[in-house]
Structures are given as C-alpha cells and as structure tokens.
Amino acid sequence: MKTTRPGLRLLGAALGGLLAATATATAQPSQSDAPVMLTHDDYARAEAFMGYNATPLLDHAVTRVEWLDDGRFWYRDHDARGDHYRIFDLATGQAREAFDHAVVAAALNALGGKVHEAGKLELTALDFDADGRLELTIARQQYRCEGEGEALSCTQREAGGGEPAVASPDGRLGAFIRDWNLWVRELDTGKETQLTTDGTEHYGYATDNAGWTHSDRAILVWSPDSTRIATFRLDQRQVSEMVMVRTAVGAPGVERWKYPFAGDEHVNMIERVVIDVPARTLVRLDMEPDFHRSTLCDHISCDGGWEDVQWAPDGASLAFASTSRDHRDTWLRIADPRTGAVREVYHEHAPSYFESGNGKVNWHYLPGSGEFLWFSERSDWGHLYLYGLDGTLKHAVTTGEDNVTQVLRVDPDSRTVWFRGVGMEDGRDPYYQHFYKVSLDGGEPVLLTPENADHTVFLSPDGRHFVDAHSTPATPPVTVLRSSGNGRVLATVAQAEAGRLYAAGWIPPESFTVKARDGVTELYGMLFKPTDFDPSRKYPVVNYIYPGPQTGSVGSRSFSPARRDHQALAELGFIVVTLDGLGTPWRSKSFHDAFDGDIGDNTLPDQVAGLRQLAERHPWLDLERVGVWGHSGGGYATADALFTYPEFYKVGVSQAGNHDNRSYEDDWIEKWMELEVRGADGTPIYEAQANQNRAGNLQGKLLLAHGMMDDNVPVTNTLLLVDALVKANKDFDLIVFPHARHGFGEDDAYMTRRRWDYFVRHLMGAEPPREYRMKAP
C-alpha cells in the first residue's frame, strides 16, 4: 500500500495543473517507523518549487537593465502573460513597450526555423540603429526589423563569417579569430582583413583557453579611437593535453585541447602585443612572457573582457597588471603602444594571494592626473588607495572594517569614485551590497542606497543616474531610478508582486547566524523548511555545501523564488541548511584566508559546528540523520564530509567533484593553495587533500556522479575516487553521464530526481516513487 506524508500543501491552479488535487495522509517517516512510500504526487508538489516552476510566478522583478544611452534603458518585465521588453525614458519618467511583441514574433516566424512566441522571445540584446530600426539578438542570432504593424519585417544579420567578434568602440569593426590569427570584419559590409599571419595551433593570437574554459571568442581590448588592439599570443606548445572520448556507435569521437594541470612544469604563457589596425602592423611589448593569469579570477578574462588591461583615454599609453603563477605577486606596468617600451609602476606582494576586487577588477589607470587607483586587502579589509604613477602612495581613499567590492565608475574630472560595498552599515547583514560614492581625495563615503537590503545597481553611461533593484531573501525587489549625486529616488521602475508565488504555497528561507569553529566568529546561513512544517516532529537534515574559496554556499542575499532545489527538497520532508563558513569571501581577508592553504578544510568544521548549534535551538532537527550534497567543489567537499566526519554525515551525493586537484587545471588550485611543494614531512601538499586517500573511512551511503565530457573538472577526478573505494572494498553508488559537461545540461533533471531518491531512501528511510520524471523545460 502506498502512503505519503501528511499535510503536503496543494499548490493551486497557478501551477498550471502540475499538482494533483488531493493527497493521502500517513505518518511522518522516522527511524522507528516502518518504511513508507512517497508518491508521484509528493514529488510533483516538490517539483513545483523548482526554479522553472517557481520563478515565473514572481511578477515585475527586474533582474537586468541595459542602458541604450544616457537617457534611456531597456529591461525585461514579466507577469502571468509572459515577458515584456520595455524602455524607460528619463525625460518623461515613464516606461513603454519597446516594440509590439506579437508583431515582432510573427515577423521572426516568417523567416522560418525556430517558432517564436510573443511572451517568450528570450532577448539577450536590444538596440536601435542610426535609422531607428530595431536590432535584436536571440540565442546569438542577430536580427534587424523595420516597418510598422503588419508591414514590419525582420532579417537575419549575417555579415561576414560566423566567428564571434569583439566590436570596436566606434561600432565599425569586429575583431575575431580565424585559424589562430586575428582578423577584423566591417560590421556593415562584412569585408574582412587579416591582421596577423604567423599564428599557429597552440601558438595563436587572442585565443581563449584557460584549460577548463575554451571558446572561439577573442580576448583583446580596443583603444578608445578604434585604431589599435591590445592582445597577446598564447603559447601552449609544451602544455599538457586534455583528451576526452565521446560515446558513439562504432568509432568514438575524440576531443583534444591544451589543459595545464596543477604542478605542471609548463603552463599557458602570454606574449603581449599591440596591433595597429589600419597599418596592419604588430608591436611586441618589450618584456618576458607573462603567466596566463588574472588579478581576480582563475581565467585571464573574468567578466567577458580583459579587465586587467586599460588604455589611456587618448590611446597614447596602455596600463596592465601582470600576476605571478601563484597569484602572490602583481605588478602594474605601463607600455608605449608605438614602441613596445614597458616600465614597472608598482608591485604588491600578498602572503596568501592577491585579488583586485570581489566580482570585478577594481584598479583604474588615471593618466590625466598622473595617478592610479589601486585595490588592496593589506589592512585585512578590501579598500582603495590612490598612487602617483611613480608608484608613491598618496593616501587611502576608503578605510575601515568593511569592504569595497566593485568599483563601477571613476570620474577623473570630478575626482569621484562610485562603488558597491559590504559591511559598511552597522547592524546590517554584512553580505548586503550597498552603493556609495567617495572622493579620490578621501573623506567619508556617501551612502546612495539607504534601504536595509541587498542592492543591485545598473549605472548609466554618463554616471549621473543608476537603476537600483533592492530586496532581501524575504522581501521581493523594488526597482527605482536614482540620482548618483545624492541617491534621491527619481522614479519607480517596477515593484515586484509575489502574490502568485505565495498563492502557490511558497515560503521564504529563514536567515540565521551561528558561531564558527572558533566559537567567536559570526557565520551567516539560510534554512529551508517544508511548507507544512510541524515543530513537534523530527526532520532529517540535508546540508548543501559549496566550500569556495571563490564563493560560498548561500549565494546572493537578494530575493529569489528558487535557490537551486533547496525548497523543493525540503518539501519532501527535509530541513535544508546552507552556511558560509570560514574560507569564503565577502568578509575580512583573514576570514577568507582561514583555509591557510589547506583546500581540504572545505569549511566542514564550521558546517558541523553550525548544525550542532542549530539543533540546540531547534529540537526538530534530527542530527542522527544528516546528509550532504554539492557539485564541483561541493562534490569534493561532500565526499570529504563522509570520509572526515563519518559519524556525523550519514548520506552524501557528490557531483562532478575535483577530488584530487592535481587532476584539475593549474590556475584555480595554485591560487588557493600554492605551487606543488613538499611539506615538512616530505609529503607533497596536494597529496594530503586528495579524497581517494581517505576513501577507506567511508561508513555511510555515498552517491558519486560525473559527466564523461566534463571539460572543467575531468571525470578522472571521480574515477580516481572510484578506484580507491573499490580497493578499500567499500559499497558506493555511481552515475555516469556519457555526454554531459560540467553542469550536466539536459541530464541535470535526471540527476535531481536521483539525488532526491537517494536522500529519501537512505536518510528519510522511505521509498521514493519509481522513476518519477522531472518536467524541466
């Protein structure tokens, strides 16, 4: 006889018939109960809280703003009828539809191919050309539409080849890679010109390959006058190779590319060059090759461009930051693009690793005043410092026990800096981002976003206005237009409405604080309960983990209808807990450095300490039934949790884990630990963090999953662990996806269901419905 948990809430007609109308009640499963069966309807109710079902129920939440010019911006509005693209005009203070959605969808459909729906156009770009014709980008395909009403027609823009191009500032040219060389294409006519001729495989120009990320886009920076390009020649000739075999009938397909591993003798190196586009001449900068590194992330391009290279406004000089292989040293240098002469301006050494910001490169080249703005965590907090171009410190621009996270604009004329920051307002969540301005000459920063919330900011091109979307995990976003001079609200752009979401039974997560392993440091997390929560019961606990160090488990503090599948999993009868432990960013430098080079820490001491404190407050948390899951670094941490704390964590689902970082790309791990060296006892330091060396400690239930075509974390990471578990004679479970990359793609829905099954069966002690099919779009 099939039974189910009592009180599972019916989620209503707003879910489009996804949920059944009734449910059969039974006793809550526990360790002492006879096993029970969860039903198809139970899973359907949980699936109602997946992002693809819950997010569309939030109306008028603005998540992206793109400025067309200083006086207009476009944004996506959403309600029960679908998506609407609107343009806000600062002159009128009003928004209007950007176009007739039904007419444009019909015109696109007339071209054949994919069928477009008026409420689901999924634009990635929207603009108007000089003649006022509408230009749209959908799934990387560009369209130009002209005419009125039924006479409107759209054409595909296919000038030149299909390689992705980086447009010049004047919009005339696009630079792209072909056959390892750099070319430019006239964007209107499609005429192409080759700029370099000596590029070869593994030794090409502007190529985008950091090992785990590789694409056809070009990495370069145009000069402001669109006449020069700063880029590099990437030398991978002696770098290790990644080989993947694609499953097929008959002969398998093989993928090969250069992939440097941690500890390798030879890694990616860049030879910096400047290309004069009209003259088609190349100048090599007079310096030794640089390591393929960024001051911010584990790829030379962190935000889609090349943020560590900045031209002077007049194009007469070029500033760039060079970073050592281990990220401990960074040099600011200035080059003459005509001669290639290079001089060193400043050098900073960090005992652990240097970062130039949190989410954005924050240093700025200010040649007009003979200065540069520099970001450093030397005081244990992330702040801005003003230097002369002779390398002399003038003064600190910001100070205090708080952090500048992202510099969004520097105006040399008014000597003003606009930036996002955290921890600057007493008594507020230290992860809430606010927006400020401060003088380059120092003084107190001016708060421009006073609401006690997390603020997402979209600054206008001229810096005079910004759109501010502010919310908390429990309060839907309000989007307003503000003055960047004083933060005054000039207009309300949108007020999110969560009525349909709440009517569907959704509840927000609960924010909490606990003490870290040291018993002193405050840690912040979120807790997810079933919608029919009963405090008189005992609930099994699932700890979602991502240990960082580049980010944490909790994620954004803004309002979100779905954070991964946390609420959906909770709905099956679990308490789901996420916690940002020591070793994650956004707090002090010492907080971030807590791993002290031991990547195997994985924040696990804090996770265990935090869960114990929560259980003391909440007797409905059953610490006899604690599970853990994570993906990528979280997959690594999950296996580590079962091996290092086998009496505490009973069930784990480890997805795409980098279980031995010697089998991962060099840049990420060499930044967070150090270059492969031997410890005091002679043991290689990476050896101590390899999960396969702890496999014999497994006592609980462990499910491993990996994509065979994972080009980020190679599947060999999981296979090393499989081999060790077999040799240790340990029982475990394994799912392999033959075609999946790192994120599992279309297989992720299947993985979600199998993850739920695993926790239901082995942590709850119940039986899941057989082969429930997730209905992800």
Side-chain angles (χ1 to χ4, degrees):
M1 174 179 178
K2 292 184 178 181
T3 56
T4 187
R5 299 193 301 111
L8 279 170
R9 185 173 303 183
L10 299 180
L11 300 185
L15 298 177
L18 176 64
L19 309 180
T22 60
T24 305
T26 188
Q28 164 77 11
S30 72
Q31 291 178 309
S32 60
D33 291 334
V36 299
M37 172 75 79
L38 296 191
T39 70
H40 180 282
D41 288 348
D42 294 334
Y43 268 47
R45 289 185 179 88
E47 189 184 7
F49 293 109
M50 293 294 289
Y52 48 82
N53 289 317
T55 300
L57 300 180
L58 178 64
D59 297 327
H60 311 304
V62 177
T63 58
R64 176 186 176 192
V65 167
E66 296 288 344
W67 287 85
L68 295 171
D69 49 42
D70 293 329
R72 298 177 304 159
F73 60 84
W74 70 269
Y75 62 97
R76 183 184 71 94
D77 193 17
H78 173 85
D79 58 23
R81 297 172 298 153
D83 296 340
H84 313 273
Y85 296 92
R86 300 173 63 80
I87 293 177
F88 190 96
D89 190 329
L90 273 63
T92 64
Q94 300 293 322
R96 61 174 176 82
E97 295 290 302
F99 50 82
D100 187 315
H101 292 61
V103 169
V104 167
L108 294 173
N109 290 335
L111 299 174
K114 177 184 176 181
V115 175
H116 299 272
E117 298 180 39
K120 298 180 180 180
L121 289 177
E122 300 180 350
L123 303 188
T124 56
L126 183 160
D127 206 344
F128 297 88
D129 68 10
D131 297 320
R133 294 174 295 189
L134 177 65
E135 296 183 327
L136 307 174
T137 302
I138 302 174
R140 297 184 64 177
Q141 177 59 60
Q142 295 180 325
Y143 302 91
R144 176 174 285 161
C145 305
E146 56 185 322
E148 298 287 341
E150 295 182 359
L152 183 136
S153 63
C154 296
T155 56
Q156 291 188 12
R157 298 187 62 192
E158 297 181 343
E163 300 93 346
V166 180
S168 58
D170 62 12
R172 292 182 55 251
L173 299 174
F176 64 94
I177 303 167
R178 179 179 295 161
D179 298 329
W180 310 100
N181 282 293
L182 196 64
W183 295 61
V184 289
R185 176 186 305 131
E186 293 182 6
L187 296 179
D188 284 339
T189 67
K191 180 183 177 182
E192 297 176 344
T193 302
Q194 187 169 355
L195 299 179
T196 67
T197 58
D198 58 341
T200 59
E201 187 176 14
H202 311 317
Y203 194 29
Y205 289 94
T207 53
D208 180 26
N209 187 348
W212 69 265
T213 180
H214 48 104
S215 75
D216 295 331
R217 65 175 182 157
I219 305 298
L220 54 86
V221 183
W222 282 93
S223 64
D225 64 0
S226 302
T227 64
R228 287 187 172 93
I229 292 173
T231 187
F232 54 81
R233 193 175 187 185
L234 178 60
D235 189 355
Q236 300 180 295
R237 290 172 293 180
Q238 299 185 72
V239 171
S240 298
E241 190 173 61
M242 175 59 66
V243 179
M244 290 186 174
V245 179
R246 183 177 295 280
T247 302
V249 176
V254 177
E255 292 186 12
R256 297 175 180 269
W257 72 97
K258 292 292 186 174
Y259 189 109
F261 290 90
D264 277 358
E265 178 182 358
H266 300 288
V267 296
N268 292 337
M269 304 295 291
I270 63 170
E271 300 169 3
R272 298 178 184 268
V273 301
V274 174
I275 300 172
D276 186 312
V277 176
R280 285 185 285 175
T281 57
L282 180 146
V283 175
R284 301 185 187 278
L285 298 195
D286 187 14
M287 60 180 293
E288 292 297 312
D290 259 340
F291 287 99
H292 187 279
R293 294 291 187 262
S294 162
T295 63
L296 186 64
C297 64
D298 55 333
H299 180 27
I300 203 166
S301 173
C302 304
D303 196 27
W306 195 13
E307 298 83 0
D308 275 323
V309 175
Q310 298 176 18
W311 285 92
D314 61 3
S317 57
L318 181 75
F320 60 92
S322 302
T323 297
S324 62
R325 177 171 177 172
D326 61 4
H327 289 266
R328 270 60 173 175
D329 293 275
T330 294
W331 298 265
L332 181 68
R333 294 170 169 145
I334 296 177
D336 184 329
R338 295 160 298 182
T339 67
V342 176
R343 71 180 181 92
E344 182 180 316
V345 174
Y346 178 71
H347 166 237
E348 177 155 342
H349 172 77
S352 53
Y353 50 85
F354 174 80
E355 288 190 298
S356 61
N358 198 324
K360 187 178 182 300
V361 168
N362 284 336
W363 67 267
H364 281 258
Y365 180 37
L366 306 170
S369 58
E371 298 168 314
F372 67 92
L373 185 67
W374 193 252
F375 176 91
S376 175
E377 295 177 294
R378 68 189 63 163
S379 70
D380 199 34
W381 300 91
H383 284 294
L384 301 175
Y385 299 84
L386 189 67
Y387 283 83
L389 288 179
D390 60 358
T392 302
L393 175 64
K394 292 189 171 183
H395 56 259
V397 176
T398 60
T399 59
E401 295 186 353
D402 43 48
N403 291 310
V404 172
T405 56
Q406 299 175 0
V407 173
L408 298 191
R409 181 178 175 83
V410 179
D411 182 5
D413 294 332
S414 66
R415 298 189 64 76
T416 306
V417 182
W418 285 268
F419 66 92
R420 298 177 80 190
V422 294
M424 296 186 176
E425 309 307 313
D426 292 339
R428 297 189 177 184
D429 188 316
Y431 293 91
Y432 282 174
Q433 290 208 72
H434 288 275
F435 194 47
Y436 303 84
K437 73 171 185 177
V438 68
S439 172
L440 278 171
D441 299 315
E444 284 298 313
V446 176
L447 175 65
L448 301 174
T449 53
E451 297 84 0
N452 184 10
D454 190 47
H455 295 259
T456 302
V457 169
F458 307 91
L459 192 61
S460 66
D462 64 2
R464 295 176 57 194
H465 304 90
F466 66 97
V467 178
D468 170 27
H470 57 86
S471 65
T472 74
T475 56
V478 175
T479 305
V480 295
L481 175 70
R482 304 185 107 122
S483 163
S484 359
N486 54 21
R488 184 169 62 92
V489 174
L490 303 176
T492 297
V493 177
Q495 174 102 33
E497 297 175 4
R500 293 194 297 134
L501 185 63
Y502 290 127
W506 183 87
I507 56 175
E510 296 181 11
S511 298
F512 66 84
T513 61
V514 291
K515 299 297 183 182
R517 68 191 79 174
D518 59 10
V520 176
T521 307
E522 202 86 353
L523 302 180
Y524 291 73
M526 291 186 188
L527 183 149
F528 301 77
K529 297 177 180 177
T531 57
D532 64 344
F533 172 74
D534 182 349
S536 68
R537 301 162 106 159
K538 282 276 193 179
Y539 289 88
V541 180
V542 175
N543 183 191
Y544 168 77
I545 187 169
Y546 190 89
Q550 79 277 19
T551 186
S553 300
V554 177
S556 169
R557 267 59 178 188
S558 293
F559 187 88
S560 177
R563 298 172 184 271
R564 297 187 181 271
D565 70 330
H566 301 333
Q567 186 59 47
L569 180 59
E571 193 67 8
L572 292 176
F574 299 95
I575 301 297
V576 178
V577 177
T578 66
L579 176 67
D580 284 341
L582 291 170
T584 56
W586 299 89
R587 306 284 290 278
S588 67
K589 172 69 169 170
S590 53
F591 187 105
H592 200 186
D593 283 354
F595 285 1
D596 193 26
D598 179 10
I599 202 75
D601 179 284
N602 279 314
T603 77
L604 288 171
D606 298 316
Q607 305 292 331
V608 173
L611 288 172
R612 292 193 189 282
Q613 292 169 63
L614 289 174
E616 291 175 359
R617 302 174 197 169
H618 307 305
W620 32 266
L621 286 171
D622 186 354
L623 290 197
E624 294 302 311
R625 295 184 290 166
V626 179
V628 57
W629 85 272
H631 190 96
S632 193
Y636 170 50
T638 293
D640 186 11
L642 267 70
F643 301 155
T644 305
Y645 297 90
E647 295 82 14
F648 188 82
Y649 289 106
K650 306 300 173 51
V651 181
V653 179
S654 169
Q655 300 178 188
N658 51 314
H659 299 289
D660 188 332
N661 284 294
R662 292 169 295 187
S663 295
Y664 190 41
E665 65 97 16
D666 63 322
D667 195 357
W668 186 83
I669 190 62
E670 289 179 353
K671 173 180 179 178
W672 301 117
M673 284 181 58
E674 55 183 296
L675 305 185
E676 173 71 309
V677 296
R678 293 186 179 273
D681 62 355
T683 304
I685 60 169
Y686 287 17
E687 181 83 9
Q689 285 86 40
N691 268 341
Q692 69 266 23
N693 296 327
R694 299 188 282 261
N697 297 338
L698 178 64
Q699 297 179 23
K701 301 293 295 185
L702 173 62
L703 171 60
L704 300 171
H706 217 116
M708 292 294 291
M709 302 304 293
D710 190 334
D711 51 1
N712 183 335
V713 178
V715 69
T716 50
N717 276 267
T718 288
L719 296 181
L720 284 167
L721 183 52
V722 167
D723 186 52
L725 289 165
V726 170
K727 285 181 170 59
N729 196 35
K730 294 295 181 178
D731 291 341
F732 65 97
D733 296 286
L734 174 67
I735 298 174
V736 172
F737 298 106
H739 306 291
R741 302 286 187 181
H742 190 56
F744 293 171
E746 62 184 18
D747 294 322
D748 189 54
Y750 176 85
M751 185 67 230
T752 299
R753 191 267 291 178
R754 291 294 303 273
R755 185 169 64 244
W756 292 3
D757 289 353
Y758 210 73
F759 287 130
V760 166
R761 183 175 286 121
H762 299 298
L763 198 62
M764 181 182 286
E767 188 64 23
R770 180 174 174 79
E771 296 180 352
Y772 177 83
R773 183 179 291 276
M774 305 288 283
K775 302 171 183 64

